[in-house]
């Protein structure tokens, strides 16, 4: 599947912790956009789309949530609950995210500016694309 967890180097000790992310060192693409997501009700389901080109790293800097990832063949759930880890999702992965803790804050690093034409928002269209690309 075009998705993996990245473990970041954590600096610091009992005084506190710090993670530093450098383009092309820790982040494998040019970072063209950063956005963050918070204030979600626990049972809301966000995402429900795939991207043609966009790559993203999603970091749960506070709280926790679940990412459901689907490549048209396989579906898996990734639980995010630490700022020391990033979920790297490349193109052509359907994603849904849910099960938000009250304090959940997600920071997303993205390889492209926001472009609606890069989105596939209908699951059947996504499956059709997966089949055509085989
Ligand atoms: P959307 O992609 O639907 O959110 P999610 O997949 O997290 O549920 O985006 C929600 C709204 O925010 C939508 O109106 C588009 C807008 N938006 C931007 O303007 N820029 C961005 O970088 C993103 C991610 C969304």
């Amino acid at each position: 599947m075009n998705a993996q967890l990245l473990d970041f180097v954590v600096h610091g000790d009992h005084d506190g912790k710090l993670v530093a992310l450098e383009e092309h060192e820790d982040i494998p693409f040019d970072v063209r956009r950063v956005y963050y997501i918070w204030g979600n009700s626990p049972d809301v389901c966000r995402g429900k789309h795939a991207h043609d080109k966009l790559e993203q790293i999603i970091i749960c800097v506070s709280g926790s949530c679940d990412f459901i990832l689907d490549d048209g063949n396989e579906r898996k759930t990734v639980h995010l609950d630490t700022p020391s880890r990033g979920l790297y999702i490349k193109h052509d992965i359907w994603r849904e995210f849910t099960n938000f803790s009250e304090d959940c804050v997600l920071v997303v690093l993205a390889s492209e500016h926001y472009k609606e034409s890069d989105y596939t928002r209908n699951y059947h269209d996504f499956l059709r694309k997966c089949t055509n690309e085989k």
Side-chain angles (χ1 to χ4, degrees):
M1 186 180 281
N2 258 346
Q4 68 191 95
L5 281 166
L6 305 179
D7 282 314
F8 303 136
V9 175
V10 179
H11 303 271
D13 47 28
H14 53 271
D15 290 335
K17 297 189 190 335
L18 180 152
V19 168
L21 300 175
E22 299 197 359
E23 201 175 62
H24 298 299
E25 295 292 336
D26 312 281
I27 306 300
F29 50 75
D30 293 343
V31 179
R32 298 218 166 82
R33 177 163 53 108
V34 175
Y35 62 95
Y36 35 99
I37 297 170
W38 78 103
N40 301 292
S41 306
D43 52 346
V44 82
C45 183
R46 296 192 58 162
K48 296 187 185 171
H49 63 253
H51 287 283
D52 289 343
K53 188 169 169 215
L54 186 79
E55 298 190 12
Q56 291 175 306
I57 291 180
I58 297 136
I59 306 159
C60 187
V61 293
S62 168
S64 63
C65 70
D66 288 337
F67 267 75
I68 298 148
L69 306 175
D70 182 336
D71 66 0
N73 270 321
E74 184 194 352
R75 185 167 263 245
K76 67 178 183 187
T77 301
V78 179
H79 183 66
L80 293 184
D81 62 0
T82 172
S84 67
R85 218 169 228 190
L87 175 60
Y88 179 24
I89 307 181
K90 297 181 200 170
H91 51 85
D92 296 323
I93 299 285
W94 184 266
R95 84 286 312 267
E96 298 175 7
F97 40 114
T98 186
N99 196 21
F100 299 96
S101 66
E102 210 168 278
D103 56 349
C104 180
V105 182
L106 298 171
V107 172
V108 184
L109 312 178
S111 65
E112 308 291 335
H113 291 181
Y114 178 75
K115 201 166 127 203
E116 189 54 41
S117 61
D118 192 66
Y119 282 70
T120 303
R121 291 194 183 270
N122 178 289
Y123 186 65
H124 295 291
D125 292 344
F126 167 71
L127 288 181
R128 211 170 300 128
K129 274 188 184 174
C130 293
T131 309
N132 292 340
E133 277 163 20
K134 270 183 200 157

